[in-house]
Amino acid sequence: MTILLLGGTSEARELAVLLHEAHVRFVSSLAGRVARPRLPVGAVQIGGFGGVSGLRAYLGEHRIAAVVDATHPFAEGMSANAAAACHADGVPLLRLERPGWAEAPGADTWHWADDHDEAAGMAASLGHRPFLTVGRQSLGRFVDPLAGKAAVVRVVDPPEIELPEPWTVLLSRGPYDVEGERAVMADLDVLVTKDSGGRYTWSKMQVAGERDMPVVIVRRAAVPDGIETVTEPDAARDWVVRRSPR
């Protein structure tokens, strides 16, 4: 029997190393939305399952003993599918989720939005050169509200939609250091991001604080009731070891 580890996050990669060292049999599943993902150690499958029914079929076919959902905090569809499939088939499920930034220094001064549409409206009213770090899948929500702005968009892979003429696209992958973020943000006047949490992309938040730059941040959805959650890969490893046949 095997453990299914969902997600290509840094936490998922850290957990993969820990499981490998503990001699636990597992497979990591990546969504395949990034052209050149950072691959974890161990067995990897790339691509979706085909919704809840497809995931249930995979759990049964591969004799999955337990699932760890270590997907990105905004991968809400995959997390919902994992919860539904595991509940239906009685497969233990753990959510490994990095802490958000709601309690971080300066968080009480940020402009919190419930979704990307609200964030786009806020950004349009707060600056003329917004820095969009919301991921390419959400960019469509910002095109109309910010069409007349000289936005700078940072993404890992090229956007799949046509962006307004004044916009600039930066193709890069984190983590980012403070000096680099100071250079990138020198001429920008509002930061738009998501409550992804963690340390890999915190530098932009630090620089925004240094410059008193307005920050628009999209809230993450709450973890559904009844799902056990941990915030550290070590704790997830211990949970898996207790449930994993060797």
Side-chain angles (χ1 to χ4, degrees):
M1 299 184 74
T2 304
I3 302 299
L4 176 61
L5 173 53
L6 301 173
T9 59
S10 59
E11 292 80 12
R13 294 193 299 273
E14 290 177 32
L15 177 56
V17 171
L18 294 174
L19 295 181
H20 179 74
E21 292 174 346
H23 305 290
V24 172
R25 181 181 299 173
F26 71 97
V27 59
S28 296
S29 174
L30 281 61
R33 292 173 179 166
V34 176
R36 296 175 301 279
R38 292 190 176 108
L39 297 178
V41 300
V44 178
Q45 76 143 33
I46 297 178
F49 296 96
V52 175
S53 61
L55 180 53
R56 290 185 65 187
Y58 183 94
L59 296 178
E61 179 182 350
H62 294 270
R63 302 180 65 216
I64 298 299
V67 176
V68 179
D69 175 13
T71 56
H72 191 276
F74 283 82
E76 297 166 11
M78 186 66 249
S79 292
N81 289 349
C86 290
H87 177 75
D89 292 335
V91 176
L93 171 66
L94 179 73
R95 172 66 179 163
L96 170 58
E97 183 169 271
R98 70 184 70 149
W101 290 328
E103 304 299 324
D108 57 338
T109 69
W110 301 338
H111 302 264
W112 289 86
D114 290 330
D115 55 36
H116 291 88
D117 291 315
E118 184 179 10
M122 289 178 174
S125 67
L126 290 169
H128 300 285
R129 296 209 68 202
F131 185 29
L132 302 183
T133 63
V134 295
R136 62 182 179 134
Q137 292 182 304
S138 304
L139 286 177
R141 316 309 305 176
F142 293 84
V143 168
D144 288 341
L146 302 180
K149 309 284 186 178
V152 174
V153 176
R154 184 164 68 193
V155 287
V156 175
D157 294 317
E160 298 177 340
I161 61 173
E162 184 175 352
L163 300 180
E165 184 65 29
W167 289 22
T168 300
V169 176
L170 302 178
L171 297 179
S172 68
R173 187 197 303 263
Y176 303 100
D177 60 36
V178 173
E179 288 303 319
E181 295 295 61
R182 285 175 181 149
V184 169
M185 298 168 65
D187 297 324
L188 306 178
D189 59 10
V190 56
L191 171 63
V192 187
T193 191
K194 301 183 292 191
D195 185 18
S196 299
R199 63 187 184 275
Y200 275 62
T201 59
W202 173 254
S203 296
K204 64 188 175 186
M205 315 300 283
Q206 179 177 333
V207 173
E210 293 173 354
R211 299 187 54 210
D212 291 325
M213 177 187 291
V215 174
V216 176
I217 184 165
V218 181
R219 290 186 177 91
R220 60 171 69 177
V223 176
D225 292 339
I227 296 179
E228 186 175 354
T229 302
V230 297
T231 59
E232 296 295 335
D234 285 351
R237 183 267 319 276
D238 294 344
W239 182 92
V240 167
V241 167
R242 292 195 299 269
R243 289 160 177 78
S244 175
R246 303 301 180 90

